[in-house]
Amino acid sequence: MTSDDSYRWWQDGIVYQVYARSFADADGDGVGDLAGIASRLDHPAWLGANAVWVTPFFPSPMVDGGYDVADYVGVDPAFGSLRDFDHLVGEAHARGLRVILDLVPNHTSDRHPWFVESRSSPDNPRRDWYIWRDAAADGGPPNNWISEFGGPAWTLDPGTGQFYYHAFASAQPDLNWRNPEVRHAIHDAMRFWLERGVDGFRVDVLWHLVKDEALRDNPANPDYVEGRDPPSRRLLPVYSADQPEVHEVVAEMRAVLDEYDERVLIGEIYLPVDRLVAYYGREGRGAHLPFNFHLILAPWDAREIEAVIDSYEGALPDDAWPNWVLGNHDLPRVASRIGDAQARVAAVLLLSLRGTPTLYYGEELGLRDVHVPDALVQDVRETNQPGRGLGRDPVRSPMPWDSTATGGFTTGVPWLPPGEGNLARSVAAQRDDPGSMLSLYRRLIALRHAERALAVGSYRPVPALGSILAYRRQHAERELLVCLNLAGVAGSLQLPDGFEAGRVLISAAGAAEGTEVRGHLELPGDEALVLEPLAPGGRAARER
Ligand code: NOJ
């Protein structure tokens, strides 16, 4: 990386996640669709995003919201058609937005023709495309693995008398990635979409693809607390995920991407930092961006977040490009986790760290998790384990485009309630308000695009205490200082060398742009600033 020109779009760009069922509904059935997304692309473009990642829209019985794929190379009629898809890609590209698809290769739907064949007989040529085993000696499942959605991860198929493995719902049988035919079939599906112009994939549960060959029992998790932790955490997934052989599978997927120009491979991976970074692959032959969810997983505390950033920065292999995420369709929304004021601080953090930021739709509006009455619950993670608060519907509510009853999302009845509080945070309500969360996001993104120090510059921590987190970002001659207060009470920071005097470029809590600070910075609660240094004469060290 020597000159600016050598950065790829997925390095200095911003990814915007569109949850396909909840972005915009063009046909009035209450569920989002591809034509709806295409009609609303001006929004991510206006915001300054560079790519949209669209969650699954493939033919699916929708047991897991489309993460149960029944055909890898089609469009579910609920979402439209291949023609709608081509239109969407054309509209996105016309606005300079790349399109990233969700690839779900770990499992299919049990209605996928591959599984229908596989389960039809032990001798079927596709039997080995899935993971079939005889019962244990006691007649129970072949091992002790637990489904992420509760209960055993094995289901008995009465027709053939064997069990099949499913890391998620029983309607989502896991493919056998040790079988080369499976690999080739998924590679072909990837090529199908790449040929249609998609710019890359976000690969679902990438670290799950390969399982222990001997299917050994997972050990108990000594830290598990009944009632506090989801049942799936009772065991440590030592043998059911993150196996050494997975890296060969990732390298093969990467090779498929590399048959095309400028495509990106993003991996969904929930692992500690040291194991996560292995997914960059040997000599950079792995994922371009193994998703880094540690800002979501760590407690919202300055020292904890600082430790996350420093350990991640320290663990990245040479040439590996970092990335950061604040939310997605599986986890509570950031504003619900840390409150409205800190969600603004989090926005400054996400958009000033070194590494590609991914925004979850509605984060830019400060959306909160919605209350979903029992009668409207959709998510299999909830219906399989009711009453434990594990459902993900609350974070998947329809995008509020305006503040009318259905938020301008649909002319019909929305599949999930938009949530009154969220309607008040609609795009229309915030767009022209300079103090809104939406305006803050847009200004932060514009600043990141204008300042190479933020987009691609180096990262250097600045010692800070208490609730203050600070770091420098530098590119060529230009260096900026980021100071964030991760609590509601004031804190202070001795401005570091080179920033004895600084000027505010952007503020989370409303300090005026251009405000000058000197020597000792008193940072009010919930404030976050990006500062440029002032030369001794008081002028900006280098005008932008
Ligand atoms: C991860 C996806 O993000 C989640 O929504 C889904 O339920 C599981 N993988 C299974 O595909």
Side-chain angles (χ1 to χ4, degrees):
M1 284 330 136
T2 47
S3 86
D4 271 12
D5 296 337
S6 61
Y7 291 95
R8 309 274 180 186
W9 62 268
W10 48 267
Q11 293 179 302
D12 62 4
I14 289 159
V15 178
Y16 184 94
Q17 179 187 353
V18 168
Y19 189 65
R21 293 194 291 173
S22 296
F23 202 58
D25 170 27
D27 64 6
D29 66 357
V31 182
D33 47 41
L34 297 181
I37 298 170
S39 74
R40 292 290 191 180
L41 288 174
D42 283 344
H43 174 73
W46 171 84
L47 194 60
N50 303 85
V52 287
W53 149 32
V54 184
T55 60
F57 50 77
F58 315 105
S60 166
M62 289 285 156
V63 170
D64 182 19
Y67 284 94
D68 46 324
V69 176
D71 174 6
Y72 284 101
V73 293
V75 173
D76 194 286
F79 290 105
S81 62
L82 273 174
R83 180 195 281 244
D84 293 325
F85 175 77
D86 292 339
H87 175 68
L88 167 60
V89 172
E91 292 291 309
H93 286 171
R95 288 166 177 76
L97 291 167
R98 308 279 181 150
V99 179
I100 298 168
L101 295 200
D102 223 307
L103 180 72
V104 192
N106 179 67
H107 42 267
T108 68
S109 160
D110 61 352
R111 310 276 180 82
H112 195 297
W114 298 343
F115 187 71
V116 173
E117 281 186 47
S118 184
R119 85 183 313 170
S120 67
S121 130
D123 307 324
N124 186 276
R126 289 208 215 273
R127 186 68 167 181
D128 185 52
W129 280 41
Y130 294 83
I131 301 170
W132 291 97
R133 288 292 183 283
D134 291 334
D138 66 357
N143 69 17
N144 71 347
W145 297 359
I146 314 173
S147 155
E148 285 291 318
F149 294 158
W154 296 91
T155 291
L156 178 65
D157 174 53
T160 56
Q162 283 193 310
F163 284 81
Y164 64 88
Y165 174 64
H166 50 88
F168 296 91
S170 57
Q172 293 168 291
D174 278 44
L175 283 162
N176 174 16
W177 275 82
R178 292 181 182 275
N179 183 331
E181 290 178 14
V182 167
R183 300 183 185 195
H184 293 145
I186 296 290
H187 295 165
D188 285 348
M190 292 169 73
R191 290 190 187 95
F192 173 87
W193 295 108
L194 290 163
E195 294 290 338
R196 286 193 111 88
V198 315
D199 299 286
F201 297 100
R202 169 269 189 191
V203 184
D204 193 63
V205 296
L206 185 59
W207 84 112
H208 268 262
L209 295 190
V210 181
K211 298 53 157 143
D212 176 46
E213 190 142 35
L215 300 176
R216 282 169 278 186
D217 277 356
N218 279 327
N221 175 1
D223 299 326
Y224 179 73
V225 177
E226 184 76 45
R228 183 195 68 182
D229 300 322
S232 58
R233 299 288 165 270
R234 247 188 326 110
L235 303 178
L236 294 173
V238 173
Y239 295 113
S240 49
D242 194 32
Q243 299 303 293
E245 300 93 325
V246 74
H247 297 294
E248 181 189 317
V249 165
V250 180
E252 287 175 6
M253 283 185 174
R254 169 66 180 270
V256 173
L257 268 277
D258 287 349
E259 292 167 17
Y260 302 80
D261 281 348
E262 289 272 299
R263 314 294 164 110
V264 70
L265 187 65
I266 302 176
E268 186 208 19
I269 300 157
Y270 286 91
L271 284 176
V273 163
D274 57 325
R275 307 192 69 160
L276 170 67
V277 297
Y279 285 76
Y280 284 104
R282 285 220 191 96
E283 291 162 15
R285 305 308 303 154
H288 296 103
L289 301 175
F291 260 151
N292 166 12
F293 298 121
H294 289 279
L295 288 183
I296 311 178
L297 305 175
W300 193 250
D301 167 273
R303 301 285 70 77
E304 300 264 7
I305 298 291
E306 181 180 63
V308 159
I309 300 168
D310 292 346
S311 68
Y312 181 61
E313 281 280 348
L316 285 168
D318 290 347
D319 288 336
W321 189 254
N323 77 91
W324 297 98
V325 185
L326 281 180
N328 61 36
H329 61 290
D330 294 325
L331 294 166
R333 283 186 175 274
V334 61
S336 289
R337 278 190 281 123
I338 63 177
D340 293 347
Q342 281 295 315
R344 295 175 69 97
V345 173
V348 177
L349 178 68
L350 177 73
L351 290 158
S352 68
L353 279 172
R354 189 175 85 90
T356 308
T358 299
L359 264 70
Y360 181 47
Y361 85 100
E363 226 161 59
E364 75 279 21
L365 303 175
L367 294 193
R368 285 185 165 240
D369 299 351
V370 299
H371 171 69
V372 178
D374 288 351
L376 296 180
V377 165
Q378 315 266 339
D379 183 16
V380 59
R381 192 160 184 251
E382 174 75 28
T383 52
N384 271 8
Q385 316 167 85
R388 287 178 164 267
L390 296 174
R392 300 164 295 178
D393 295 324
V395 312
R396 300 174 172 179
S397 59
M399 179 77 167
W401 296 100
D402 59 41
S403 301
T404 60
T406 61
F409 163 75
T410 179
T411 54
V413 179
W415 73 286
L416 280 177
E420 262 179 49
N422 283 346
L423 289 173
R425 297 165 190 233
S426 71
V427 175
Q430 296 196 39
R431 227 181 119 111
D432 300 326
D433 172 2
S436 69
M437 178 70 108
L438 180 57
S439 295
L440 175 64
Y441 261 95
R442 187 157 183 259
R443 283 187 295 120
L444 281 166
I445 291 172
L447 186 66
R448 191 174 174 98
H449 286 319
E451 293 278 4
R452 295 304 277 171
L454 290 180
V456 297
S458 61
Y459 162 88
R460 190 146 58 107
V462 171
L465 294 171
S467 60
I468 306 296
L469 172 67
Y471 46 88
R472 300 158 177 257
R473 302 290 317 281
Q474 182 176 8
H475 180 72
E477 303 296 298
R478 180 76 162 160
E479 189 169 32
L480 301 177
L481 177 67
V482 183
C483 312
L484 310 104
N485 188 342
L486 269 64
V489 289
S492 62
L493 177 79
Q494 185 59 45
L495 291 174
D497 288 355
F499 284 89
E500 290 81 4
R503 188 164 74 174
V504 173
L505 291 177
I506 208 160
S507 147
E513 278 173 33
T515 303
E516 294 186 7
V517 294
R518 277 167 213 284
H520 202 76
L521 175 66
E522 291 297 327
L523 208 56
D526 302 323
E527 179 60 292
L529 302 174
V530 180
L531 299 167
E532 64 179 350
L534 283 176
R539 293 190 34 241
R542 204 203 75 186
E543 299 299 339
R544 274 189 292 141

